[in-house]
Amino acid sequence: MEVIMTIRNDAYSLKHVVTTQQFDTNALIRFIFPLADRMREAVKMGGNTLLAGQRMISWFEEPSTRTAASFAMSMAQLGGEVSFATDNASQFSSRAKGETIEDTFRILNGYHPNVIVSRFATAGDAAKASKISKVPIINAGDGNNQHPTQALLDLYTIQKKFERCNNLKIGMVGDLHNGRTVKSLAYLLGKFKKISLYFVSPLSLRIGDDIKIYLDKHGATWSEHEDLRDIADQLDVLYMTRIQRERGSMLTSAELEPGKFSINKPVLRLLPKEAIIMHPLPRLEEIPNYVDGDKRACYFQQAENGLYVRMALLTIILAPIHIPRLLNM
Ligand code: CP
């Protein structure tokens, strides 16, 4: 894969963001996360002008609240602009008439944006678009495949809470067959040391073998479970996800039992005091509202962190000249 971000001899470059496998741990720890910290400070000061004159196309073929809004606000905070945005491109663009993803991105390239952020309805379309696009593309989720910027903000949140990305026990719960955030995060975590992943899902919604093979290859340990209560007491991070009804997933009445694939009071009692509860959101019944008051719940902070991480990524892609100054290098 040519779309990479690696750090060698302090050289860095990033064009398209398509998957999480393209990032190495050094890039995350030395560049993206410290830059996200700088962006948090910049937002407190009212933003900056690092991306003045830069234009984004925001192309979403599936619904979004967090990803679309935080990318748009990232451009605003950095002094750039979203010049064209469509939030239902599957229905209101010429994709609805059968235009291919390749032709669509050829055309969008011709209007000279500086970056295109896109949520694709079909798994694999982000890779297809990146192959023909001269303009940087950021994958904002492609079908049930990947959601790399979500995984970056997830790991940033973990790093802020634990001050490490190694030596962690993480339970991932819910629709692991369709959960692109879980897949992207598992690929990313697999690059760190002493990672144990506990996949908790109904048999019909298990995570794919590709992830398990990757984790084996990278020395991470993993196990599969059908009841959250069996492993809740072992976790540093409880990463909940919803059942993706829009992709045909559903639970049987037995699987709907509280505590099995959802948080209830017994799960909260089992979960260690220092653990954190995460969720990419939107949440459904898997996190009842009363959990919001638990000091371990950090999913709203996690969503806010998306702004800082996406500002950092846009700066690396569009204004890398500013990085040495921002990071005191
Ligand atoms: N987490 C996430 O991707 O949320 P949205 O679908 O609202 O963007």
Side-chain angles (χ1 to χ4, degrees):
M1 181 180 293
E2 60 180 300
V3 282
I4 54 172
M5 181 167 179
T6 57
I7 311 297
R8 287 198 189 89
N9 302 324
D10 281 342
Y12 46 84
S13 68
L14 180 63
K15 190 176 179 189
H16 305 305
V17 176
V18 178
T19 68
T20 45
Q21 295 96 305
Q22 74 185 73
F23 294 95
D24 73 7
T25 56
N26 211 11
L28 296 167
I29 302 299
R30 287 189 49 206
F31 285 82
I32 298 176
F33 294 170
L35 265 179
D37 289 340
R38 297 292 86 74
M39 296 302 154
R40 182 191 301 271
E41 292 156 14
V43 170
K44 275 196 196 129
M45 302 297 288
N48 57 39
T49 54
L50 294 178
L51 299 192
Q54 307 243 26
R55 300 181 178 122
M56 172 186 283
I57 288 180
S58 175
W59 182 270
F60 277 65
E61 297 182 348
E62 285 186 343
S64 170
T65 297
R66 278 146 290 273
T67 316
S70 61
F71 267 117
M73 289 308 294
S74 293
M75 284 305 272
Q77 290 283 355
L78 292 164
E81 66 172 48
V82 179
S83 307
F84 177 75
T86 177
D87 55 10
N88 194 351
S90 292
Q91 199 180 342
F92 293 122
S93 77
S94 286
R95 292 278 286 146
K97 304 172 200 163
E99 187 161 47
T100 64
I101 201 71
E102 288 89 347
D103 278 359
T104 300
F105 275 76
R106 273 186 196 106
I107 298 304
L108 296 179
N109 265 249
Y111 302 141
H112 298 275
N114 300 98
V115 62
I116 304 173
V117 173
S118 182
R119 174 161 288 182
F120 303 87
T122 306
D125 271 3
K128 281 186 191 172
S130 71
K131 283 199 179 79
I132 63 104
S133 183
K134 292 186 173 51
V135 174
I137 287 176
I138 301 179
N139 178 7
D142 62 323
N144 69 354
N145 183 34
Q146 286 232 9
H147 192 348
T149 66
Q150 176 71 44
L152 295 174
L153 76 88
D154 291 343
L155 194 62
Y156 176 68
T157 303
I158 292 170
Q159 205 260 351
K160 295 300 285 180
K161 292 283 176 183
F162 292 96
E163 296 183 351
R164 67 178 195 270
C165 297
N166 296 310
N167 192 20
L168 289 165
K169 295 179 178 169
I170 296 134
M172 296 177 155
V173 184
D175 185 351
L176 306 187
H177 177 70
N178 286 307
R180 58 191 172 201
T181 69
V182 160
K183 292 176 195 174
S184 283
L185 184 56
Y187 276 125
L188 205 54
L189 285 165
K191 300 196 169 204
F192 289 86
K193 295 189 173 66
K194 292 192 183 173
I195 296 294
S196 297
L197 293 174
Y198 302 73
F199 297 123
V200 185
S201 72
L203 278 177
S204 59
L205 299 176
R206 282 190 162 179
I207 200 148
D209 288 342
D210 51 339
I211 307 281
K212 298 173 197 167
I213 292 164
Y214 177 93
L215 293 173
D216 286 341
K217 201 171 132 197
H218 285 77
T221 60
W222 56 270
S223 54
E224 292 185 297
H225 308 270
E226 286 171 64
D227 196 318
L228 170 57
R229 292 163 295 192
D230 292 343
I231 52 102
D233 63 341
Q234 299 172 46
L235 301 177
D236 298 308
V237 177
L238 172 55
Y239 191 95
M240 300 297 296
T241 66
R242 71 191 165 86
I243 302 301
Q244 299 199 15
R245 294 174 190 140
E246 74 274 27
R247 300 194 202 281
S249 300
M250 59 179 70
L251 297 185
T252 62
S253 53
E255 290 164 348
L256 280 166
E257 182 187 328
K260 225 169 151 55
F261 305 111
S262 59
I263 296 180
N264 63 359
K265 291 196 171 147
V267 168
L268 288 179
R269 281 195 287 276
L270 285 166
L271 198 64
K273 281 194 175 59
E274 303 308 319
I276 59 172
I277 302 169
M278 300 179 70
H279 194 307
L281 304 176
R283 50 117 173 240
L284 301 175
E285 56 280 349
E286 66 279 358
I287 301 187
N289 288 347
Y290 64 77
V291 179
D292 301 357
D294 190 294
K295 72 176 178 50
R296 294 166 292 187
C298 69
Y299 29 88
F300 295 125
Q301 181 62 56
Q302 177 188 354
E304 181 181 328
N305 287 346
L307 176 68
Y308 313 129
V309 169
R310 288 172 176 133
M311 286 172 71
L313 281 174
L314 288 167
T315 301
I316 294 168
I317 294 169
L318 298 176
I321 195 170
H322 296 292
I323 294 175
R325 178 179 55 79
L326 289 165
L327 296 183
N328 294 321
M329 290 165 67

